[in-house]
Coordinates of all heavy atoms in Angstrom, one line a residue:
M1 N -23.7 -12.7 -16.5 CA -23.7 -14.1 -16.7 C -22.3 -14.6 -16.9 O -21.6 -14.0 -17.7 CB -24.6 -14.5 -17.9 CG -24.8 -15.9 -18.0 SD -25.9 -16.6 -16.8 CE -26.6 -17.9 -17.7
L2 N -21.9 -15.6 -16.3 CA -20.6 -16.2 -16.4 C -20.7 -17.7 -16.9 O -21.6 -18.4 -16.4 CB -19.8 -16.2 -15.1 CG -18.4 -16.8 -15.1 CD1 -17.5 -15.9 -15.9 CD2 -17.9 -16.9 -13.6
E3 N -19.9 -18.0 -17.9 CA -19.8 -19.3 -18.4 C -18.4 -19.9 -18.1 O -17.5 -19.1 -18.4 CB -20.1 -19.4 -19.9 CG -21.5 -19.1 -20.2 CD -21.7 -19.1 -21.8 OE1 -21.1 -20.0 -22.4 OE2 -22.5 -18.3 -22.3
I4 N -18.3 -21.1 -17.6 CA -17.0 -21.7 -17.4 C -17.0 -23.0 -18.1 O -17.9 -23.8 -18.0 CB -16.8 -21.9 -15.9 CG1 -16.8 -20.6 -15.1 CG2 -15.5 -22.7 -15.7 CD1 -16.6 -20.8 -13.6
T5 N -15.9 -23.1 -18.9 CA -15.7 -24.4 -19.7 C -14.3 -24.8 -19.4 O -13.4 -24.0 -19.2 CB -16.0 -24.3 -21.2 OG1 -15.1 -23.3 -21.7 CG2 -17.4 -24.0 -21.5
I6 N -14.1 -26.1 -19.5 CA -12.7 -26.7 -19.3 C -12.4 -27.5 -20.5 O -13.2 -28.4 -20.8 CB -12.6 -27.5 -18.0 CG1 -13.0 -26.7 -16.8 CG2 -11.2 -28.1 -17.8 CD1 -13.1 -27.5 -15.5
D7 N -11.3 -27.1 -21.2 CA -11.0 -27.9 -22.4 C -10.2 -29.1 -22.1 O -9.9 -29.4 -21.0 CB -10.3 -27.0 -23.5 CG -8.9 -26.5 -23.1 OD1 -8.3 -27.1 -22.2 OD2 -8.5 -25.5 -23.7
E8 N -9.9 -29.9 -23.2 CA -9.2 -31.1 -23.0 C -7.8 -31.0 -22.4 O -7.2 -32.0 -21.9 CB -9.1 -31.9 -24.4 CG -8.3 -31.2 -25.4 CD -9.1 -30.1 -26.2 OE1 -10.3 -30.0 -26.0 OE2 -8.5 -29.5 -27.0
D9 N -7.2 -29.8 -22.5 CA -5.9 -29.6 -21.9 C -6.0 -29.1 -20.4 O -5.0 -28.8 -19.8 CB -5.1 -28.5 -22.7 CG -4.8 -29.0 -24.1 OD1 -4.5 -30.2 -24.2 OD2 -4.8 -28.2 -25.0
G10 N -7.2 -29.0 -19.9 CA -7.4 -28.6 -18.5 C -7.4 -27.1 -18.4 O -7.5 -26.6 -17.2
I11 N -7.4 -26.3 -19.5 CA -7.5 -24.9 -19.4 C -8.9 -24.5 -19.1 O -9.9 -24.9 -19.7 CB -7.0 -24.2 -20.7 CG1 -5.5 -24.5 -20.9 CG2 -7.2 -22.7 -20.6 CD1 -5.0 -24.1 -22.2
I12 N -9.1 -23.6 -18.1 CA -10.4 -23.1 -17.7 C -10.7 -21.8 -18.4 O -10.0 -20.9 -18.3 CB -10.4 -22.9 -16.2 CG1 -10.1 -24.3 -15.5 CG2 -11.8 -22.4 -15.7 CD1 -9.9 -24.1 -14.0
H13 N -11.8 -21.8 -19.2 CA -12.2 -20.6 -20.0 C -13.3 -19.9 -19.3 O -14.3 -20.5 -19.0 CB -12.6 -21.0 -21.4 CG -11.5 -21.7 -22.1 ND1 -10.6 -21.0 -22.9 CD2 -11.1 -23.0 -22.2 CE1 -9.8 -21.9 -23.5 NE2 -10.0 -23.1 -23.0
L14 N -13.1 -18.6 -19.0 CA -14.2 -17.8 -18.4 C -14.8 -16.9 -19.5 O -14.0 -16.2 -20.2 CB -13.6 -17.0 -17.2 CG -12.9 -17.7 -16.1 CD1 -12.5 -16.7 -15.0 CD2 -13.8 -18.8 -15.5
K15 N -16.1 -16.8 -19.5 CA -16.8 -16.0 -20.5 C -17.9 -15.2 -19.9 O -18.7 -15.8 -19.1 CB -17.3 -16.8 -21.7 CG -18.0 -16.1 -22.7 CD -18.6 -17.0 -23.8 CE -19.3 -16.2 -24.9 NZ -19.8 -17.1 -25.9
G16 N -17.9 -13.9 -20.1 CA -19.0 -13.1 -19.5 C -18.5 -12.2 -18.4 O -17.4 -11.7 -18.4
S17 N -19.4 -12.1 -17.4 CA -19.1 -11.2 -16.2 C -19.0 -12.1 -15.0 O -19.8 -12.9 -14.7 CB -20.2 -10.2 -16.0 OG -20.3 -9.3 -17.1
F18 N -18.0 -11.8 -14.2 CA -17.7 -12.5 -12.9 C -17.9 -11.5 -11.8 O -17.0 -10.9 -11.3 CB -16.3 -13.0 -12.9 CG -16.0 -14.1 -11.9 CD1 -17.0 -14.6 -11.0 CD2 -14.7 -14.6 -11.8 CE1 -16.7 -15.6 -10.1 CE2 -14.4 -15.6 -10.9 CZ -15.4 -16.1 -10.0
D19 N -19.2 -11.4 -11.3 CA -19.5 -10.5 -10.3 C -20.1 -11.3 -9.1 O -20.0 -12.5 -9.0 CB -20.5 -9.4 -10.8 CG -21.8 -10.0 -11.4 OD1 -22.1 -11.1 -11.1 OD2 -22.4 -9.3 -12.2
A20 N -20.7 -10.6 -8.1 CA -21.2 -11.2 -6.9 C -22.2 -12.4 -7.1 O -22.1 -13.4 -6.5 CB -21.9 -10.1 -6.0
A21 N -23.1 -12.2 -8.1 CA -24.1 -13.3 -8.3 C -23.4 -14.5 -8.9 O -23.7 -15.7 -8.4 CB -25.1 -12.8 -9.3
Q22 N -22.5 -14.4 -9.7 CA -21.8 -15.5 -10.3 C -20.7 -16.1 -9.3 O -20.5 -17.3 -9.4 CB -21.1 -15.1 -11.6 CG -22.1 -15.0 -12.8 CD -22.9 -13.7 -12.7 OE1 -22.4 -12.7 -12.3 NE2 -24.1 -13.8 -13.2
A23 N -20.2 -15.3 -8.5 CA -19.2 -15.7 -7.6 C -19.8 -16.8 -6.7 O -19.2 -17.9 -6.4 CB -18.6 -14.6 -6.7
R24 N -21.0 -16.6 -6.2 CA -21.6 -17.6 -5.3 C -21.9 -18.9 -6.1 O -21.8 -20.0 -5.6 CB -22.9 -17.0 -4.7 CG -22.6 -16.1 -3.6 CD -23.9 -15.6 -2.9 NE -23.8 -14.2 -2.8 CZ -24.4 -13.3 -3.5 NH1 -25.2 -13.6 -4.5 NH2 -24.2 -12.0 -3.3
D25 N -22.4 -18.7 -7.4 CA -22.7 -19.9 -8.2 C -21.5 -20.8 -8.5 O -21.7 -22.0 -8.6 CB -23.4 -19.4 -9.5 CG -24.8 -18.8 -9.2 OD1 -25.3 -19.0 -8.1 OD2 -25.3 -18.1 -10.1
F26 N -20.4 -20.1 -8.7 CA -19.2 -20.9 -9.2 C -18.2 -21.1 -8.2 O -17.1 -21.7 -8.5 CB -18.6 -20.2 -10.5 CG -19.5 -20.3 -11.7 CD1 -20.3 -19.2 -12.1 CD2 -19.6 -21.5 -12.4 CE1 -21.1 -19.3 -13.2 CE2 -20.4 -21.6 -13.5 CZ -21.2 -20.5 -13.9
E27 N -18.4 -20.8 -6.9 CA -17.4 -20.9 -5.9 C -17.0 -22.4 -5.8 O -15.8 -22.8 -5.6 CB -17.9 -20.4 -4.5 CG -16.9 -20.0 -3.6 CD -17.4 -19.1 -2.5 OE1 -18.6 -19.0 -2.3 OE2 -16.5 -18.6 -1.8
E28 N -18.0 -23.3 -5.9 CA -17.7 -24.7 -5.8 C -16.8 -25.2 -6.9 O -15.9 -26.0 -6.7 CB -19.0 -25.6 -5.8 CG -19.8 -25.4 -4.6 CD -21.1 -26.3 -4.7 OE1 -21.2 -27.2 -5.5 OE2 -22.0 -26.0 -3.9
V29 N -16.9 -24.7 -8.1 CA -16.1 -25.1 -9.2 C -14.6 -24.7 -8.9 O -13.7 -25.5 -9.0 CB -16.5 -24.3 -10.5 CG1 -15.5 -24.6 -11.6 CG2 -17.8 -24.8 -11.0
F30 N -14.4 -23.5 -8.4 CA -13.1 -23.0 -8.0 C -12.5 -23.7 -6.8 O -11.3 -23.9 -6.7 CB -13.1 -21.5 -7.9 CG -13.2 -20.8 -9.1 CD1 -14.4 -20.2 -9.5 CD2 -12.2 -20.7 -10.0 CE1 -14.6 -19.5 -10.7 CE2 -12.3 -20.0 -11.2 CZ -13.5 -19.5 -11.6
D31 N -13.4 -24.2 -5.9 CA -13.0 -24.9 -4.7 C -12.4 -26.3 -5.1 O -11.6 -26.9 -4.3 CB -14.1 -25.1 -3.7 CG -14.4 -23.8 -2.9 OD1 -13.6 -22.9 -3.0 OD2 -15.5 -23.8 -2.3
E32 N -12.7 -26.8 -6.2 CA -12.3 -28.1 -6.7 C -10.8 -28.0 -7.3 O -10.2 -29.1 -7.5 CB -13.2 -28.7 -7.7 CG -14.5 -29.1 -7.0 CD -15.5 -29.7 -8.0 OE1 -15.1 -30.0 -9.1 OE2 -16.7 -29.8 -7.6
I33 N -10.4 -26.8 -7.6 CA -9.0 -26.7 -8.2 C -8.0 -27.1 -7.1 O -8.0 -26.5 -6.1 CB -8.8 -25.3 -8.7 CG1 -9.8 -25.0 -9.8 CG2 -7.4 -25.1 -9.2 CD1 -9.8 -23.5 -10.3
G34 N -7.1 -28.0 -7.4 CA -6.2 -28.5 -6.5 C -4.7 -28.5 -7.0 O -3.8 -28.9 -6.3
E35 N -4.5 -27.9 -8.2 CA -3.2 -27.8 -8.7 C -3.1 -26.6 -9.6 O -4.1 -25.9 -9.9 CB -2.9 -29.1 -9.5 CG -3.8 -29.3 -10.7 CD -3.6 -30.6 -11.4 OE1 -2.8 -31.4 -10.9 OE2 -4.1 -30.7 -12.5
T36 N -1.9 -26.3 -10.1 CA -1.7 -25.1 -11.0 C -2.6 -25.2 -12.2 O -2.7 -26.3 -12.8 CB -0.2 -25.0 -11.4 OG1 0.6 -24.8 -10.3 CG2 -0.1 -23.9 -12.4
K37 N -3.4 -24.1 -12.5 CA -4.3 -24.1 -13.6 C -4.2 -22.8 -14.4 O -3.8 -21.8 -13.8 CB -5.8 -24.2 -13.1 CG -6.2 -25.6 -12.6 CD -6.2 -26.6 -13.8 CE -6.7 -27.9 -13.2 NZ -6.7 -28.9 -14.3
V38 N -4.4 -22.9 -15.6 CA -4.5 -21.7 -16.5 C -5.9 -21.3 -16.6 O -6.8 -22.1 -16.9 CB -3.9 -22.0 -17.9 CG1 -4.1 -20.8 -18.8 CG2 -2.4 -22.3 -17.8
L39 N -6.2 -20.0 -16.4 CA -7.5 -19.4 -16.6 C -7.4 -18.6 -17.8 O -6.8 -17.5 -17.8 CB -8.0 -18.6 -15.4 CG -8.1 -19.3 -14.0 CD1 -8.7 -18.4 -13.0 CD2 -9.0 -20.5 -14.1
D40 N -8.1 -18.9 -18.9 CA -8.2 -18.1 -20.1 C -9.2 -17.1 -19.9 O -10.4 -17.4 -19.9 CB -8.5 -19.0 -21.3 CG -8.4 -18.2 -22.6 OD1 -8.4 -17.0 -22.6 OD2 -8.4 -18.9 -23.6
L41 N -8.8 -15.8 -19.9 CA -9.7 -14.7 -19.6 C -10.1 -13.9 -20.9 O -10.6 -12.8 -20.9 CB -9.1 -13.7 -18.6 CG -8.7 -14.3 -17.3 CD1 -8.1 -13.2 -16.4 CD2 -9.8 -15.1 -16.6
T42 N -9.8 -14.5 -22.1 CA -10.0 -13.9 -23.4 C -11.4 -13.3 -23.5 O -11.6 -12.2 -24.0 CB -9.7 -14.8 -24.5 OG1 -8.4 -15.3 -24.4 CG2 -9.9 -14.2 -25.9
N43 N -12.4 -14.1 -23.0 CA -13.8 -13.7 -23.2 C -14.4 -13.2 -21.9 O -15.7 -13.1 -21.8 CB -14.6 -14.8 -23.8 CG -14.1 -15.2 -25.2 OD1 -14.1 -14.3 -26.0 ND2 -13.8 -16.4 -25.4
L44 N -13.6 -12.9 -20.9 CA -14.2 -12.3 -19.7 C -14.2 -10.8 -19.8 O -13.2 -10.2 -20.1 CB -13.2 -12.7 -18.5 CG -13.8 -12.2 -17.1 CD1 -15.0 -13.1 -16.7 CD2 -12.7 -12.4 -16.1
V45 N -15.4 -10.3 -19.8 CA -15.6 -8.8 -20.1 C -15.6 -8.0 -18.8 O -15.3 -6.8 -18.9 CB -16.9 -8.6 -20.9 CG1 -16.8 -9.2 -22.3 CG2 -18.1 -9.0 -20.2
Y46 N -15.9 -8.6 -17.6 CA -15.9 -7.8 -16.4 C -15.6 -8.8 -15.2 O -16.0 -9.9 -15.2 CB -17.4 -7.2 -16.2 CG -17.6 -6.6 -14.9 CD1 -17.1 -5.3 -14.6 CD2 -18.2 -7.3 -13.9 CE1 -17.3 -4.7 -13.4 CE2 -18.4 -6.8 -12.6 CZ -17.9 -5.5 -12.4 OH -18.1 -4.9 -11.1
I47 N -14.9 -8.2 -14.3 CA -14.7 -8.9 -13.0 C -14.9 -7.9 -11.9 O -14.3 -6.8 -11.9 CB -13.4 -9.7 -12.9 CG1 -13.3 -10.5 -11.7 CG2 -12.2 -8.7 -13.0 CD1 -12.2 -11.6 -11.6
G48 N -15.7 -8.3 -10.9 CA -16.0 -7.4 -9.8 C -15.2 -7.9 -8.5 O -14.5 -8.9 -8.6
S49 N -15.4 -7.2 -7.4 CA -14.7 -7.6 -6.2 C -15.0 -9.0 -5.7 O -14.1 -9.6 -5.2 CB -14.9 -6.5 -5.1 OG -16.3 -6.5 -4.8
A50 N -16.2 -9.4 -5.9 CA -16.5 -10.8 -5.4 C -15.8 -11.8 -6.3 O -15.3 -12.8 -5.8 CB -18.1 -11.0 -5.5
G51 N -15.7 -11.6 -7.6 CA -15.0 -12.5 -8.5 C -13.5 -12.5 -8.1 O -12.8 -13.5 -8.1
L52 N -13.0 -11.3 -7.9 CA -11.6 -11.2 -7.4 C -11.3 -12.0 -6.1 O -10.3 -12.6 -6.0 CB -11.2 -9.7 -7.2 CG -11.0 -8.9 -8.5 CD1 -10.8 -7.4 -8.1 CD2 -9.9 -9.4 -9.4
G53 N -12.3 -11.9 -5.2 CA -12.2 -12.5 -4.0 C -12.1 -14.1 -4.1 O -11.4 -14.7 -3.4
V54 N -12.9 -14.6 -5.0 CA -12.9 -16.0 -5.2 C -11.6 -16.4 -5.8 O -11.0 -17.4 -5.3 CB -14.0 -16.4 -6.2 CG1 -13.9 -17.9 -6.7 CG2 -15.4 -16.3 -5.6
L55 N -11.1 -15.7 -6.8 CA -9.8 -16.1 -7.4 C -8.6 -15.9 -6.4 O -7.7 -16.8 -6.3 CB -9.5 -15.2 -8.6 CG -10.4 -15.4 -9.8 CD1 -10.0 -14.6 -11.0 CD2 -10.5 -16.9 -10.2
L56 N -8.7 -14.9 -5.6 CA -7.7 -14.7 -4.6 C -7.7 -15.8 -3.5 O -6.6 -16.3 -3.1 CB -7.8 -13.3 -3.9 CG -6.8 -13.0 -2.8 CD1 -5.4 -13.0 -3.4 CD2 -7.1 -11.6 -2.2
S57 N -8.8 -16.2 -3.1 CA -9.0 -17.3 -2.2 C -8.3 -18.6 -2.7 O -7.6 -19.3 -2.0 CB -10.4 -17.5 -1.8 OG -10.6 -18.7 -1.0
V58 N -8.7 -18.9 -4.0 CA -8.0 -20.1 -4.6 C -6.5 -19.9 -4.7 O -5.8 -20.9 -4.4 CB -8.6 -20.3 -6.0 CG1 -7.9 -21.4 -6.8 CG2 -10.1 -20.6 -5.9
Q59 N -6.1 -18.7 -5.1 CA -4.6 -18.5 -5.2 C -3.9 -18.7 -3.9 O -2.9 -19.4 -3.8 CB -4.4 -17.1 -5.7 CG -2.9 -16.7 -6.0 CD -2.4 -17.3 -7.3 OE1 -2.8 -18.4 -7.8 NE2 -1.5 -16.7 -7.9
Q60 N -4.5 -18.2 -2.8 CA -3.9 -18.3 -1.5 C -3.9 -19.8 -1.0 O -2.9 -20.3 -0.5 CB -4.6 -17.5 -0.5 CG -4.4 -16.0 -0.7 CD -5.3 -15.2 0.2 OE1 -6.4 -15.5 0.6 NE2 -4.8 -14.0 0.5
R61 N -4.9 -20.5 -1.3 CA -5.0 -22.0 -0.9 C -4.0 -22.8 -1.8 O -3.3 -23.6 -1.2 CB -6.4 -22.5 -1.2 CG -6.6 -24.0 -0.9 CD -8.0 -24.4 -1.0 NE -8.7 -24.0 -2.2 CZ -8.6 -24.7 -3.4 NH1 -7.8 -25.7 -3.5 NH2 -9.2 -24.3 -4.5
L62 N -3.9 -22.5 -3.1 CA -2.9 -23.2 -3.9 C -1.5 -22.9 -3.6 O -0.6 -23.8 -3.6 CB -3.2 -22.9 -5.4 CG -4.5 -23.4 -6.0 CD1 -4.6 -23.0 -7.4 CD2 -4.5 -25.0 -5.9
S63 N -1.2 -21.7 -3.2 CA 0.2 -21.3 -2.9 C 0.7 -22.0 -1.7 O 1.9 -22.3 -1.6 CB 0.3 -19.8 -2.7 OG -0.3 -19.4 -1.5
K64 N -0.2 -22.5 -0.8 CA 0.2 -23.2 0.4 C 0.7 -24.6 0.0 O 1.5 -25.2 0.8 CB -0.9 -23.3 1.4 CG -1.3 -22.0 2.0 CD -2.5 -22.1 3.0 CE -2.8 -20.8 3.5 NZ -4.0 -20.9 4.4
I65 N 0.3 -25.1 -1.2 CA 0.8 -26.4 -1.6 C 1.6 -26.4 -2.8 O 1.8 -27.4 -3.5 CB -0.5 -27.4 -1.8 CG1 -1.4 -26.8 -2.9 CG2 -1.2 -27.6 -0.5 CD1 -2.6 -27.7 -3.3
G66 N 2.2 -25.2 -3.1 CA 3.2 -25.0 -4.2 C 2.5 -24.9 -5.6 O 3.3 -25.2 -6.6
H67 N 1.3 -24.5 -5.7 CA 0.7 -24.3 -6.9 C 0.1 -22.9 -7.1 O 0.2 -22.2 -6.1 CB -0.5 -25.3 -7.1 CG 0.0 -26.8 -7.3 ND1 0.5 -27.3 -8.4 CD2 0.1 -27.8 -6.4 CE1 0.8 -28.5 -8.3 NE2 0.6 -28.9 -7.0
H68 N -0.4 -22.6 -8.2 CA -1.0 -21.2 -8.4 C -1.9 -21.2 -9.7 O -2.0 -22.1 -10.4 CB 0.1 -20.2 -8.5 CG 1.0 -20.4 -9.7 ND1 2.0 -21.4 -9.7 CD2 1.1 -19.8 -10.9 CE1 2.7 -21.4 -10.8 NE2 2.1 -20.4 -11.6
L69 N -2.6 -20.1 -9.8 CA -3.4 -19.8 -11.0 C -2.6 -18.9 -11.9 O -1.9 -18.0 -11.5 CB -4.7 -19.1 -10.6 CG -5.7 -19.8 -9.7 CD1 -6.8 -18.9 -9.4 CD2 -6.2 -21.0 -10.4
K70 N -2.6 -19.3 -13.2 CA -2.0 -18.4 -14.2 C -3.2 -17.8 -15.1 O -4.0 -18.5 -15.6 CB -1.2 -19.3 -15.2 CG 0.0 -20.0 -14.5 CD 0.8 -20.8 -15.5 CE 1.9 -21.5 -14.9 NZ 2.7 -22.2 -15.9
L71 N -3.2 -16.5 -15.1 CA -4.3 -15.8 -15.8 C -3.8 -15.5 -17.2 O -2.7 -14.9 -17.4 CB -4.7 -14.5 -15.1 CG -5.0 -14.8 -13.6 CD1 -5.4 -13.4 -12.9 CD2 -6.1 -15.8 -13.4
F72 N -4.5 -15.8 -18.2 CA -4.1 -15.7 -19.6 C -5.0 -14.8 -20.4 O -6.2 -14.9 -20.4 CB -4.0 -17.0 -20.2 CG -3.6 -17.0 -21.7 CD1 -2.3 -16.8 -22.0 CD2 -4.5 -17.3 -22.7 CE1 -1.8 -16.8 -23.3 CE2 -4.1 -17.2 -24.0 CZ -2.8 -17.0 -24.3
N73 N -4.4 -13.8 -21.0 CA -5.1 -12.9 -22.0 C -6.3 -12.1 -21.6 O -7.3 -12.1 -22.2 CB -5.4 -13.8 -23.3 CG -5.5 -12.9 -24.5 OD1 -4.7 -12.0 -24.7 ND2 -6.3 -13.3 -25.4
P74 N -6.1 -11.4 -20.5 CA -7.2 -10.6 -20.0 C -7.4 -9.3 -20.9 O -6.4 -8.9 -21.5 CB -6.8 -10.1 -18.6 CG -5.4 -10.1 -18.7 CD -5.0 -11.3 -19.5
N75 N -8.6 -8.8 -21.1 CA -8.7 -7.6 -21.9 C -8.2 -6.4 -21.1 O -7.8 -6.6 -19.9 CB -10.2 -7.4 -22.4 CG -11.1 -7.1 -21.2 OD1 -10.8 -6.5 -20.2 ND2 -12.4 -7.6 -21.4
N76 N -8.1 -5.3 -21.6 CA -7.6 -4.1 -20.9 C -8.3 -3.8 -19.7 O -7.7 -3.4 -18.7 CB -7.5 -2.9 -21.9 CG -6.4 -3.0 -22.9 OD1 -5.5 -3.8 -22.8 ND2 -6.6 -2.3 -24.0
H77 N -9.6 -3.8 -19.7 CA -10.4 -3.5 -18.5 C -10.1 -4.5 -17.4 O -9.9 -4.1 -16.2 CB -11.9 -3.5 -18.8 CG -12.7 -3.3 -17.6 ND1 -12.8 -2.1 -16.9 CD2 -13.5 -4.2 -17.0 CE1 -13.6 -2.3 -15.9 NE2 -14.1 -3.5 -15.9
V78 N -10.2 -5.8 -17.7 CA -9.9 -6.8 -16.7 C -8.5 -6.7 -16.1 O -8.2 -6.7 -14.9 CB -10.2 -8.2 -17.2 CG1 -9.7 -9.3 -16.2 CG2 -11.7 -8.3 -17.5
R79 N -7.5 -6.4 -17.0 CA -6.1 -6.3 -16.6 C -6.0 -5.0 -15.6 O -5.3 -5.1 -14.6 CB -5.2 -6.1 -17.8 CG -3.8 -5.9 -17.3 CD -2.8 -5.7 -18.5 NE -2.4 -7.0 -19.0 CZ -1.5 -7.9 -18.4 NH1 -1.0 -7.5 -17.2 NH2 -1.2 -9.0 -18.9
D80 N -6.7 -3.9 -16.0 CA -6.7 -2.8 -15.1 C -7.2 -3.1 -13.7 O -6.7 -2.5 -12.7 CB -7.5 -1.6 -15.8 CG -6.7 -1.0 -16.9 OD1 -5.5 -1.2 -17.1 OD2 -7.4 -0.2 -17.7
V81 N -8.3 -3.8 -13.6 CA -8.9 -4.2 -12.3 C -7.8 -4.9 -11.5 O -7.7 -4.6 -10.3 CB -10.1 -5.0 -12.5 CG1 -10.6 -5.6 -11.1 CG2 -11.3 -4.2 -13.2
F82 N -7.1 -5.8 -12.1 CA -6.0 -6.5 -11.4 C -4.9 -5.6 -11.0 O -4.4 -5.6 -9.8 CB -5.5 -7.7 -12.2 CG -6.3 -8.9 -12.1 CD1 -7.4 -9.1 -13.0 CD2 -6.2 -9.9 -11.1 CE1 -8.2 -10.3 -12.9 CE2 -6.9 -11.0 -10.9 CZ -8.0 -11.2 -11.9
R83 N -4.6 -4.7 -11.8 CA -3.5 -3.7 -11.6 C -3.9 -2.7 -10.5 O -3.1 -2.5 -9.6 CB -3.1 -3.0 -12.9 CG -1.8 -2.1 -12.6 CD -1.3 -1.5 -13.9 NE -2.3 -0.7 -14.6 CZ -2.6 -1.0 -15.9 NH1 -2.1 -1.9 -16.6 NH2 -3.5 -0.2 -16.5
Y84 N -5.0 -2.2 -10.6 CA -5.5 -1.1 -9.6 C -5.7 -1.7 -8.2 O -5.5 -1.0 -7.2 CB -6.8 -0.5 -10.1 CG -6.7 0.3 -11.3 CD1 -7.7 0.5 -12.2 CD2 -5.4 0.9 -11.7 CE1 -7.6 1.2 -13.4 CE2 -5.3 1.7 -12.9 CZ -6.4 1.8 -13.7 OH -6.2 2.5 -14.9
S85 N -6.0 -3.0 -8.2 CA -6.2 -3.7 -6.9 C -5.0 -4.2 -6.3 O -4.9 -4.7 -5.2 CB -7.3 -4.8 -7.0 OG -6.7 -5.8 -7.9
G86 N -3.9 -4.2 -7.1 CA -2.6 -4.7 -6.7 C -2.5 -6.2 -6.8 O -1.4 -6.8 -6.5
L87 N -3.5 -6.9 -7.4 CA -3.5 -8.3 -7.5 C -2.6 -8.7 -8.7 O -2.3 -10.0 -8.8 CB -4.9 -8.8 -7.6 CG -5.8 -8.7 -6.4 CD1 -7.2 -9.2 -6.7 CD2 -5.2 -9.3 -5.2
D88 N -2.2 -7.8 -9.5 CA -1.3 -8.2 -10.6 C 0.1 -8.6 -10.0 O 0.9 -9.2 -10.7 CB -1.1 -7.1 -11.6 CG -0.5 -5.8 -11.0 OD1 -0.7 -5.5 -9.8 OD2 0.1 -5.1 -11.8
Q89 N 0.3 -8.3 -8.7 CA 1.6 -8.7 -8.0 C 1.4 -10.1 -7.4 O 2.4 -10.7 -7.0 CB 1.9 -7.7 -6.9 CG 2.1 -6.2 -7.4 CD 3.2 -6.1 -8.5 OE1 4.3 -6.6 -8.2 NE2 2.9 -5.6 -9.6
I90 N 0.2 -10.6 -7.4 CA -0.1 -11.9 -6.8 C -0.3 -12.9 -7.8 O 0.1 -14.1 -7.6 CB -1.3 -11.8 -5.8 CG1 -0.9 -10.8 -4.6 CG2 -1.7 -13.1 -5.3 CD1 -2.0 -10.5 -3.7
F91 N -0.9 -12.6 -8.9 CA -1.2 -13.5 -10.0 C -0.2 -13.4 -11.1 O 0.3 -12.3 -11.4 CB -2.6 -13.3 -10.6 CG -3.7 -13.6 -9.6 CD1 -4.3 -12.6 -8.8 CD2 -4.2 -14.9 -9.6 CE1 -5.3 -13.0 -7.9 CE2 -5.3 -15.2 -8.7 CZ -5.8 -14.2 -7.9
E92 N 0.1 -14.5 -11.8 CA 0.9 -14.5 -13.0 C -0.1 -14.2 -14.1 O -1.0 -14.9 -14.3 CB 1.6 -15.9 -13.2 CG 2.3 -16.0 -14.5 CD 3.0 -17.3 -14.7 OE1 3.1 -18.1 -13.7 OE2 3.3 -17.7 -15.8
I93 N 0.1 -13.1 -14.8 CA -0.8 -12.7 -15.9 C 0.0 -12.6 -17.2 O 1.0 -12.0 -17.3 CB -1.4 -11.3 -15.6 CG1 -2.2 -11.4 -14.3 CG2 -2.3 -10.9 -16.8 CD1 -2.7 -10.0 -13.8
Q94 N -0.5 -13.4 -18.2 CA 0.2 -13.4 -19.5 C -0.7 -13.0 -20.6 O -1.9 -13.2 -20.5 CB 0.7 -14.8 -19.8 CG 1.7 -15.4 -18.8 CD 2.1 -16.8 -19.1 OE1 1.4 -17.5 -19.8 NE2 3.2 -17.2 -18.5
D95 N -0.2 -12.4 -21.6 CA -0.9 -12.0 -22.8 C -0.5 -12.8 -24.0 O 0.7 -13.4 -24.0 CB -0.7 -10.5 -23.1 CG -1.3 -9.6 -22.0 OD1 -2.5 -9.8 -21.8 OD2 -0.6 -8.8 -21.5
T96 N -1.3 -12.9 -25.1 CA -0.9 -13.6 -26.3 C 0.2 -12.9 -27.0 O 1.0 -13.5 -27.7 CB -2.1 -13.8 -27.2 OG1 -2.7 -12.5 -27.5 CG2 -3.1 -14.7 -26.6
G97 N 0.2 -11.6 -26.9 CA 1.2 -10.9 -27.8 C 2.0 -9.9 -27.0 O 3.0 -9.5 -26.9

């Protein structure tokens, strides 16, 4: 299950698992992103290839207009998924400490 909330600063918070089932459900949410956004991954416990595909699609679309996604505070497992897939070279990933 994936929960997405957007706080008053426009930061998008992902909570739960972002896999194939959730990718289809939330694709519309990500399609609406039209400028640089911060995705807080603090509470994202899992991301699968379908979730990566959605984020990569948004990143590619935004890069064409000079914007991008900033990924913030992924746990070790989520960070490893980005690193092993090579997507850590495409996304800006920041940690709290």
Side-chain angles (χ1 to χ4, degrees):
M1 183 78 146
L2 179 68
E3 294 178 32
I4 298 177
T5 57
I6 303 172
D7 69 19
E8 63 275 356
D9 295 324
I11 297 172
I12 301 169
H13 300 268
L14 304 183
K15 180 180 180 181
S17 296
F18 195 3
D19 57 21
Q22 286 73 35
R24 283 185 226 104
D25 292 342
F26 288 103
E27 205 163 10
E28 288 180 21
V29 171
F30 289 102
D31 283 346
E32 293 179 10
I33 297 173
E35 61 187 11
T36 297
K37 288 289 182 182
V38 173
L39 300 183
D40 183 345
L41 306 182
T42 301
N43 295 307
L44 186 69
V45 295
Y46 172 83
I47 188 164
S49 59
L52 290 173
V54 170
L55 296 183
L56 182 59
S57 176
V58 173
Q59 184 77 332
Q60 290 172 331
R61 179 174 50 80
L62 289 177
S63 71
K64 292 177 183 175
I65 57 172
H67 292 279
H68 60 281
L69 296 176
K70 296 180 182 181
L71 308 181
F72 180 73
N73 206 31
N75 66 32
N76 288 337
H77 173 72
V78 171
R79 179 177 276 288
D80 285 346
V81 171
F82 278 90
R83 186 173 57 237
Y84 296 148
S85 65
L87 294 178
D88 62 330
Q89 302 300 308
I90 296 173
F91 290 93
E92 178 181 339
I93 303 175
Q94 298 178 342
D95 292 305
T96 55

